[in-house]
Amino acid sequence: QVQLVESGGGLVQAGGSLRLSCVASGRTVSNYGMGWFRQARGKEREFVAAISWSGDSTYYKDSVKGRFTISRDNAKSTVYLQMNSLKPEDTARYYCASEGTVHRSIVVTAAGFYDYWGQGTQVTVSS
């Protein structure tokens, strides 16, 4: 059974940084693209960042470009989201997800392409 476990969330002041990690098991995640999504209270889940199976391609939500960096270590079955210059509007529960097509040549951003999800980790940014 595929499991994705996120960690690294917490409370941080505006302008601070956090590094989220997502460890995968039950699947050779090195064969699949991975993504980070977030959901703020009362809002719909939204795409944040994605990385191709090889790590060669990444894509970001416009509002996080230049502040967030997605990366992966396939040897450790782990995907990271480095978040810098955090803003109160980044407050949300962050979820990692594994998309469902082996060696997809492009990065995908729609949640429907992702078939396994973690439980999420809460990020709270105070002003």
Side-chain angles (χ1 to χ4, degrees):
Q1 184 170 351
V2 178
Q3 278 194 315
L4 303 176
V5 180
E6 303 95 334
S7 63
L11 173 64
V12 64
Q13 288 188 331
S17 298
L18 284 174
R19 188 195 197 200
L20 306 185
S21 299
C22 172
V23 180
S25 60
R27 166 184 269 191
T28 306
V29 291
S30 58
N31 291 328
Y32 299 87
M34 299 289 291
W36 285 96
F37 292 76
R38 67 187 182 188
Q39 187 168 19
R41 186 173 299 179
K43 295 187 178 181
E44 294 188 352
R45 182 177 53 191
E46 64 178 4
F47 167 80
V48 176
I51 188 167
S52 62
W53 66 274
S54 64
D56 290 344
S57 298
T58 58
Y59 193 82
Y60 298 92
K61 175 182 173 63
D62 284 347
S63 64
V64 308
K65 285 180 182 177
R67 300 188 298 121
F68 290 11
T69 303
I70 187 171
S71 61
R72 65 189 302 159
D73 184 339
N74 285 339
K76 296 182 179 179
S77 297
T78 302
V79 178
Y80 304 98
L81 185 67
Q82 178 67 43
M83 305 187 296
N84 299 328
S85 302
L86 283 161
K87 303 176 181 180
E89 51 263 44
D90 295 318
T91 294
R93 191 165 186 84
Y94 284 70
Y95 299 88
C96 81
S98 175
E99 66 113 335
T101 298
V102 173
H103 292 180
R104 191 190 299 272
S105 59
I106 60 173
V107 174
V108 292
T109 63
F113 286 105
Y114 292 82
D115 56 356
Y116 290 102
W117 295 78
Q119 293 300 306
T121 185
Q122 179 67 34
V123 171
T124 303
V125 185
S126 63
S127 56

